[in-house]
Amino acid sequence: MSWSELVGEALGGPGDGPGAAAVERFSVRPGEVLARVRGHEVSLIRTVWADEEWVQVCAALASQPLFRARLLSGELPDAAARVFGLLGLDLVPRGWGALVATCSCDHWRGRCAHLSVTAAALGAEADRDPFVLTRWAGRERRTLVELVRDLPAGTKGPSAREAALADDHPTRLSEEHPGAGDGVFAAQAQTADPLSPAAFWSAPAPPPPPLLPADTADRARAAAPGHVADHLPGFDRSEKPFSTLQEDP
């Protein structure tokens, strides 16, 4: 099965919408596919893998003579997708639910044709250069090949203890694999947490309210008209009364 078939199986084909000729611009960067389809801006966002996960998958590829030889010659056979999948790392996302997909068109009910066309364009690009998929997941061809080259055949991925140590000491992996190059371990903003639309669009927790000067309530009451001041709430009922004049209960 080709890379385009794998992408088509996971993300569907172009459907009845505009064809591939409608893709005016197409690019892939770590974590995001960007396209312009018939005047509309399309974005496909996926999870970018952490350093230790790349070491694990590259160790698995390096342990197989066929994959190691193909990678060192600058190739990425479509059968390698199974190796990624066995490690829980899907080089081709398993469906639209694994992506945050957006389009600037006004089609809000269901998936628009522009998204499907972009997915089809990604599959076609992957047939020409499969490493576009590793770039999308966070690794360029050069750094991926270097890491496979520096891991000897038969090497196993990091143990759970090593992965935990890597979380506490980000430089440990680069010390253990000094030949892998700085680019392999430089993605400080990457995350291994599954990315869902709800998590992507959720707002961060609001900051705590600012601390007000002790006389804020009195100053606000003094500046307000009398009939308004009588109904102003206090800013801090527990520490300071509304006014220096105490009212009868």
Side-chain angles (χ1 to χ4, degrees):
M1 185 176 288
S2 67
W3 285 111
S4 58
E5 289 173 331
L6 289 173
V7 173
E9 187 178 78
L11 302 178
D16 298 327
V23 179
E24 303 160 11
R25 185 178 67 248
F26 182 87
S27 64
V28 180
R29 63 187 184 187
E32 188 174 21
V33 173
L34 296 167
R36 184 176 178 85
V37 180
R38 191 161 288 183
H40 297 291
E41 301 297 330
V42 179
S43 172
L44 306 180
I45 301 173
R46 64 159 300 157
T47 300
V48 176
W49 302 331
D51 295 337
E52 59 270 18
E53 292 175 310
W54 279 106
V55 172
Q56 185 181 30
V57 73
C58 287
L61 293 169
S63 68
Q64 301 296 319
L66 177 60
F67 288 134
R68 180 182 176 87
R70 296 284 295 274
L71 281 165
L72 294 184
S73 65
E75 302 175 22
L76 183 64
D78 54 83
R82 179 168 175 78
V83 178
F84 284 83
L86 289 173
L87 296 172
L89 304 171
D90 296 313
L91 193 56
V92 177
R94 294 194 178 187
W96 290 97
L99 303 176
V100 175
T102 64
C103 180
S104 63
C105 74
D106 57 0
H107 184 85
W108 295 100
R109 301 187 64 179
R111 188 174 68 253
C112 68
H114 309 103
L115 295 176
S116 298
V117 169
T118 301
L122 175 64
E125 183 66 21
D127 281 344
R128 290 188 290 269
D129 178 15
F131 290 94
V132 72
L133 296 173
T134 66
R135 181 191 308 149
W136 193 24
R139 284 294 177 271
E140 296 287 348
R141 177 204 303 253
R142 179 182 61 81
T143 54
L144 179 64
V145 172
E146 286 178 356
L147 185 52
V148 170
R149 179 185 296 116
D150 293 334
L151 290 168
T155 300
K156 295 182 180 180
S159 65
R161 178 177 177 275
E162 290 170 337
L165 289 174
D167 290 339
D168 294 335
H169 304 284
T171 59
R172 183 177 295 274
L173 283 174
S174 58
E175 293 171 356
E176 292 178 356
H177 303 281
D182 295 338
V184 178
F185 302 102
Q188 299 296 329
Q190 296 175 353
T191 176
D193 295 334
L195 186 64
S196 67
F200 180 81
W201 293 111
S202 61
L211 296 177
L212 299 176
D215 61 345
T216 299
D218 287 339
R219 290 167 59 190
R221 289 171 60 83
H227 66 283
V228 174
D230 292 339
H231 299 283
L232 281 177
F235 289 91
D236 192 344
R237 295 174 182 267
S238 62
E239 295 183 6
K240 190 174 181 62
F242 294 157
S243 174
T244 55
L245 297 176
Q246 297 296 325
E247 298 181 359
D248 294 333

